[in-house]
Amino acid sequence: MLGGAFEPDEAELVLLAKGFHWAIGSQPPLYEWGQSLFFRLFGTNTFALVAHKNLWLFAAYVAMFAGLRRIVTPGAAAIGALSLIFLPNFAWEAQRSNSHTAAMATMVCATVWAFLRLDRGRMADWVVFGLVIGLGGLSKANYWLVPPALILAGLTLRDWRARLADPRLALALLLAAAICAPSYGQMLAQPQMTFSDTWEFAKGGALVPGPLWVTGLLRLGTQLAVALALPTIILGAVCVIRRRRPSTGPDEQLLLRAAAIAAVLAAVAVMLGNVGFVRGRWLMPVLLLATRR
């Protein structure tokens, strides 16, 4: 009735984002809250779907720039933000499909920005960090790869280890938990809807002998390699042209270590959940941390 041919994610939003709710369906509700607002402003139509999604995508570029601006020059930060175009699941697939992934990508970039501001030692920065984590937790489940990856990466660096010893970290985490609690409570109260998509974790069956998670790890590694191939080739070409290796400062080391830790956490989740099927967009948190380099 609305015209056009919607992908499943967007067609689902037409049904689920009719009004405000703490949680409905198999995804956290942050993206649906925004979509509900756009439907109220512009009506239930294609424009409301497209405008809302592209606002999230634009915000991801802005948050990426703001985070990188903390550690590099404005020009380098702009180039780093534009590097998002080399992630097909973000720059290409998001225009064709995806929904909650756009919100998750923005919140990942915003989380890194908030984390890097903690070096100022202000109470307000810890509060913002907690607020961003809470909203990120309401974007998509795989967002939760990022906060522990950043904190664990920080603990491996002397300067950041001292900052993270601050008791205000516990305050930030409690604030994040309080923000997530109503929606997560509602999701757990409706397990049939919340876990309705878990069948996809076993999609396609085993590719190699052994437990299903062996296939999952193989697919995880393949998806990461494919997604990082183009950025790696570009970085290599730049190094050859400039005839020197890229320098890596402490904060850049932090982000690279966080990306590696997030990848390990994803692998652990595959093993613990006996997951055999891994989509590239599920690894977006890892890729967003890695391509900041």
Side-chain angles (χ1 to χ4, degrees), residues 6 11 17-18 64 99 120 127 155 159 173 175 210 234 237 255 272 282-283:
F6 293 144
K18 292 294 187 180
M64 174 74 89
S99 52
R120 306 193 304 177
V127 172
L155 293 175
D159 290 343
L173 296 179
L175 178 58
I234 293 172
L255 297 179
L272 293 178
W282 296 349
L283 302 174

Side-chain angles (χ1 to χ4, degrees), residues 20-291:
F20 178 84
H21 47 74
W22 286 114
I24 186 171
S26 60
Q27 299 280 10
L30 183 63
Y31 192 88
E32 289 163 9
W33 290 349
Q35 190 61 73
S36 178
L37 176 61
F38 268 67
F39 281 159
R40 287 178 178 270
L41 291 175
F42 304 108
T44 306
N45 52 51
T46 303
F47 174 80
L49 289 164
V50 173
H52 176 237
K53 178 188 294 185
N54 279 277
L55 181 61
W56 279 109
L57 297 175
F58 173 75
Y61 285 101
V62 173
M64 174 74 89
F65 173 81
L68 290 176
R69 184 64 188 88
R70 298 285 306 166
I71 59 178
V72 296
T73 64
I79 293 174
L82 290 175
S83 69
L84 288 175
I85 66 175
F86 301 124
L87 296 179
N89 269 300
F90 182 86
W92 177 260
E93 284 296 297
Q95 297 298 329
R96 182 193 66 82
S97 184
N98 297 352
S99 52
H100 297 82
T101 298
M104 181 272 297
T106 298
M107 297 315 302
V108 168
C109 295
T111 301
V112 175
W113 165 78
F115 187 79
L116 293 175
R117 286 164 54 91
L118 297 179
D119 62 354
R120 306 193 304 177
R122 299 178 182 178
M123 181 64 183
D125 293 326
W126 287 99
V127 172
V128 169
F129 185 52
L131 288 171
V132 171
I133 292 178
L135 292 175
L138 296 177
S139 63
K140 197 173 176 71
N142 54 343
Y143 165 83
W144 289 113
L145 292 173
V146 174
L150 286 171
I151 293 172
L152 291 173
L155 293 175
T156 66
L157 297 170
R158 184 178 59 185
D159 290 343
W160 277 99
R161 191 157 52 240
R163 293 166 191 159
L164 293 173
D166 195 313
R168 290 176 292 185
L169 174 60
L171 174 64
L173 296 179
L174 285 174
L175 178 58
I179 293 172
C180 292
S183 292
Y184 276 64
Q186 183 71 16
M187 293 177 74
L188 292 175
Q190 300 175 342
Q192 186 174 5
M193 295 182 66
T194 300
F195 301 106
S196 61
D197 288 344
T198 54
W199 61 269
E200 194 171 12
F201 294 154
K203 183 179 177 180
L207 298 177
V208 295
L212 197 59
W213 59 261
V214 176
T215 294
L217 291 180
L218 177 62
R219 284 175 164 151
L220 185 150
T222 301
Q223 292 287 355
L224 285 177
V226 170
L228 291 174
L230 182 57
T232 301
I233 291 173
I234 293 172
L235 179 61
V238 170
C239 292
V240 170
I241 293 172
R242 299 181 65 181
R243 296 183 179 179
R244 64 187 179 94
R245 297 174 60 185
S247 59
T248 304
D251 289 324
E252 291 173 301
Q253 291 180 19
L254 170 75
L255 297 179
L256 288 174
R257 293 184 187 188
I261 292 171
V264 171
L265 293 176
V268 171
V270 167
M271 295 173 66
L272 293 178
N274 197 29
V275 174
F277 181 73
V278 179
R279 289 189 182 276
R281 66 171 178 264
W282 296 349
L283 302 174
M284 187 66 70
V286 180
L287 302 175
L288 289 169
L289 291 170
T291 53

